[in-house]
Amino acid sequence: MDMTDEEKAERLERQKKELELRAKKRNSRLFLFFGSIFEIVETLAVILLLIIFFTLMVFRVFKLPETAAGTVYQFCLIVSVIGGIFLGFMIYKNCANFVIEKFNLSDKLSNEILGHYSKRFRNSEKEALKK
């Protein structure tokens, strides 16, 4: 059976859409992979900076007695780890949003990724739902 010109055009259009979808999935996976590596390194750096900051504060600035300094320092380590993880997530999300906006990746990434990171995409979805 021979295909008509309309069927050929429709088939080419479907193939084109499939290739675009695959490219978006690949780009989204790469974005998440490198973003995850960045998030891990950045979170560890924030935790390290908080530990250094609290160490200097406890031992250099306040000059507490040794018994009190040990207890306060242990508390500060816990706060550094929890606060570093929280700050790391916030910084990563803002950096991801910045990268998406700066390099105009909204047409290259899947909607799930954009919905999670891009403020502009979320706002446009809200506006579309209101209409």
Side-chain angles (χ1 to χ4, degrees), residues 44 55 62 79-80 83 99 101:
L44 290 174
T55 302
F62 295 120
V79 169
S80 296
V99 167
E101 299 295 325

Side-chain angles (χ1 to χ4, degrees), residues 3-130:
M3 293 193 314
T4 63
D5 289 338
E6 291 177 6
E7 290 173 338
K8 287 180 183 178
E10 183 181 328
R11 184 175 182 187
L12 287 174
E13 186 66 30
R14 279 187 282 155
Q15 287 176 345
K16 184 179 176 184
K17 286 182 182 180
E18 182 67 28
L19 288 174
E20 288 176 4
L21 181 64
R22 286 182 186 173
K24 279 188 175 188
K25 285 182 179 181
R26 183 184 64 242
N27 292 338
S28 297
R29 287 183 187 131
L30 286 172
F31 181 80
L32 287 176
F33 176 73
F34 289 112
S36 297
I37 291 172
F38 170 76
E39 181 181 6
I40 291 168
V41 170
E42 171 258 337
T43 300
L44 290 174
V46 169
I47 291 171
L48 182 65
L49 288 174
L50 286 174
I51 288 173
I52 291 170
F53 172 74
F54 283 126
T55 302
L56 291 175
M57 294 300 286
V58 168
F59 294 112
R60 299 281 186 200
V61 175
F62 295 120
K63 297 181 183 177
L64 299 171
E66 237 178 85
T67 56
T71 305
V72 171
Y73 185 68
Q74 288 175 357
F75 177 73
C76 289
L77 285 177
I78 294 170
V79 169
S80 296
V81 171
I82 294 171
I85 291 171
F86 181 72
L87 285 173
F89 286 142
M90 289 178 53
I91 293 170
Y92 168 67
K93 193 161 185 174
N94 288 332
C95 287
N97 183 37
F98 174 76
V99 167
I100 289 171
E101 299 295 325
K102 176 75 175 173
F103 297 108
N104 196 19
L105 298 176
S106 57
D107 58 339
K108 295 174 183 77
L109 297 174
S110 67
N111 292 340
E112 293 85 19
I113 303 296
L114 292 174
H116 186 70
Y117 294 109
S118 178
K119 292 177 186 176
R120 183 179 295 171
F121 185 79
R122 281 189 303 241
N123 291 339
S124 67
E125 276 190 340
K126 287 179 185 177
E127 290 298 322
L129 289 176
K130 287 181 182 178

